[in-house]
Amino acid sequence: MLNNISLHNFALADQLAIDIESGFNVLTGETGAGKSLLLDALSACLGERSDASQVRFGHDKAEVIATFSYREHSPEADWLKEHELLDESGEIIIRRVIFANGRSKAWINGRPTSMSELKTLGRLLVLLYSQHSQQQLLDPPYPKQWLDRYAGLQQQALTVKHAYQHWQKSQRLYQDARDAQYSRAAKLEQLQQQLEDLEPLLDIHYQDIEQEYDRLSHHESMMQDCHTMLHALDEGEQNILQELAAIVRKAEAQHARSPQLEQVHNTLLNAQSELEDATSHLKQFIDRQSFDPERMSELNTQLEQFHRLARKYRTQPHELLSEYQNWQQQLEQLQELENPEQLAAQVEQAQQHFLELAEQLNQTRLHVAIDVAAQLTTQVKPLALPEAHFEFRFEPLDEPNADGISFIQLLFTANKGIPAQPLARVASGGELSRIALVMQVMNASKTDAEVLVFDEIDVGISGGTAEIVGRLLADLAQHVQILCITHQAQVAAQSDQHLLVKKQQTNPASSTIISLDEPQRIDELARMSGGVEINATTLQHAKQLRDLKFIKS
């Protein structure tokens, strides 16, 4: 549930903090007051696109903080646990900062997060329905998607989609195998030749022989330097180890007289030990070195092989062995494709598996579609459509696809005795808006999200129809938290909390949002239903609208 949202220099808001109650919350205000302010801020907190225009004029950044509570073992709780973001407070605190240069940063419970993570969490917390949702009804795939979502068939539909994709992939592999037959022989010969070229080098590590060759080619100067170092360290008349031993003895004689001298003494002892170790290692290295002309010649030959083949195959010498592995894999794949017809059985099996799953899904859809259409009819009739009737039409596809084996249409008629026709063909704009509203409310009743936002979805309705819409939302708010922007007094009157957006003529202009008490609600409902001039009649009407809520509840 959304508990609180605060805005700092966001769009028209200077400093604004709002507590959101559970149940049905409405947001109203005059045209131009900035009713979208709260939803834009909430969208920003849920990972939606932001831009510099959301930063208040004259400031370098805007900030939005939203606080949500959640149930234990809910999808959002599982997500937080998976991402190690659970907070002792039992809340989700999302912070989004938008800079004037267009960039933004976000945090979840104090930890920086990516926009993709924020969007994923946002979809678990909030569902947004806009006034343009009715356009979805005109999209051919929408009836099937809505039916699956409302009837809980999404997982079964996803299984069918995966089976279809597996079938299509098998077909592509089979076709690729057939196409490869034409060039297979030449490619096999080429790969075998490339592998033979590299086989003498398989047991040789390029970096090792390169380092050994470098050592042998610089043997004389390396040994001279080593002897010079050893002479200076230990073998010269005035060598470093002897002089250091004398210094250590002097430090030892004085170390007890000062903590600083004791530290100097310990440091010198460590240095003496390190130099003695270095001298020992240097002696061992010198004793083991010998110049082997034959080995150097062998290394030179191997390096020449590496460089020649690297030039031939246009790669780096140290990458040749990796190329060998790639070629070996390609060869094995080509050998597996020796008989493409072996893949034909796999294609047939994948197709059959898909068709079986698709047929099961189709039968399930047919079974639930009758009841779902009846429920939709029942819900729509009170919205000034007393003769409304819905049904789903299933038409077999010429070619099955990832969605199944049937094209599903939603048919509608608003008149008794008139056969139902495709919704997009016969429904008016006003009918579409009411149908879309009911379908959204029906879907919302099935969601796991605890916050539903409706952005002016009641556009195009009024009077008694708006009152029924308000009741629908109020009933839904018994189970989830609802935030709704509305122009309809009949809808606003059914709410549990009424938020009013007011524009203030500051410089620059600003908007604020206040939670109305009951007398203030009556005034706002009167304004919404009666216009600018509020009189006794409009106030009485507003009181009647509020009374209806308490009578119905």
Side-chain angles (χ1 to χ4, degrees), residues 229-450:
M229 288 187 289
L230 184 60
H231 181 81
L233 284 168
D234 192 35
E235 295 182 350
E237 290 185 7
Q238 292 183 334
N239 59 69
I240 293 173
L241 287 176
Q242 288 178 351
E243 293 183 0
L244 184 57
I247 295 171
V248 169
R249 287 193 295 272
K250 293 183 183 298
E252 183 179 12
Q254 304 298 331
H255 80 279
R257 293 186 171 89
S258 168
Q260 288 83 359
L261 289 176
E262 183 179 7
Q263 184 177 0
V264 169
H265 177 248
N266 291 334
T267 304
L268 289 171
L269 283 176
N270 290 334
Q272 185 181 37
S273 176
E274 293 287 338
L275 285 176
E276 287 173 349
D277 287 345
T279 301
S280 176
H281 291 313
L282 186 56
K283 288 178 179 179
Q284 292 175 9
F285 178 79
I286 292 171
D287 291 342
R288 292 173 183 172
Q289 297 307 305
S290 62
F291 181 74
D292 185 350
E294 293 183 0
R295 176 58 179 164
M296 186 169 179
S297 176
E298 179 184 359
L299 292 172
N300 187 55
T301 301
Q302 291 174 346
L303 288 171
E304 287 179 350
Q305 284 181 291
F306 270 96
H307 285 279
R308 177 177 59 81
L309 292 172
R311 288 193 299 272
K312 180 177 180 179
Y313 295 118
R314 297 181 181 180
T315 187
Q316 297 299 317
H318 64 275
E319 294 177 350
L320 282 172
L321 297 186
S322 176
E323 291 287 354
Y324 182 91
Q325 294 171 352
N326 291 335
W327 296 339
Q328 185 69 42
Q329 185 178 15
Q330 292 177 33
L331 182 64
E332 291 171 357
Q333 290 174 346
L334 283 176
Q335 289 170 338
E336 289 176 1
L337 298 178
E338 184 174 352
N339 182 10
E341 296 310 317
Q342 291 178 350
L343 294 175
Q346 298 178 21
V347 174
E348 179 67 25
Q349 183 180 4
Q351 181 184 18
Q352 190 60 36
H353 180 62
F354 160 71
L355 290 175
E356 289 174 0
L357 293 176
E359 180 61 33
Q360 292 172 11
L361 175 61
N362 202 59
Q363 290 300 318
T364 304
R365 283 170 171 167
L366 281 167
H367 177 72
V368 302
I370 298 173
D371 182 56
V372 172
Q375 291 182 50
L376 179 58
T377 298
T378 301
Q379 296 275 10
V380 167
K381 279 186 174 183
L383 301 183
L385 290 170
E387 301 299 332
H389 173 75
F390 293 90
E391 58 187 69
F392 287 94
R393 176 191 289 170
F394 287 68
E395 297 179 353
L397 293 168
D398 294 334
E399 292 289 338
N401 58 39
D403 293 327
I405 58 176
S406 295
F407 174 64
I408 302 175
Q409 286 182 295
L410 181 61
L411 308 184
F412 165 73
T413 180
N415 303 297
K416 189 174 183 178
I418 304 297
Q421 298 293 319
L423 186 67
R425 188 184 305 168
V426 298
S428 67
E431 290 168 341
L432 279 175
S433 64
R434 281 173 276 175
I435 294 167
L437 173 62
V438 170
M439 293 176 76
Q440 290 165 5
V441 170
M442 290 177 68
N443 256 346
S445 66
K446 303 288 184 177
T447 183
D448 287 329
E450 297 182 29

Side-chain angles (χ1 to χ4, degrees), residues 151-178:
L153 303 180
Q154 289 173 296
Q155 187 56 51
Q156 190 176 352
L158 184 62
T159 301
V160 170
K161 181 178 181 179
H162 289 164
Y164 177 82
Q165 291 170 341
H166 177 64
W167 170 35
Q168 295 301 303
K169 182 179 179 181
S170 299
Q171 280 190 317
R172 287 193 298 271
L173 289 175
Y174 171 62
Q175 187 59 49
D176 290 345
R178 295 191 55 160

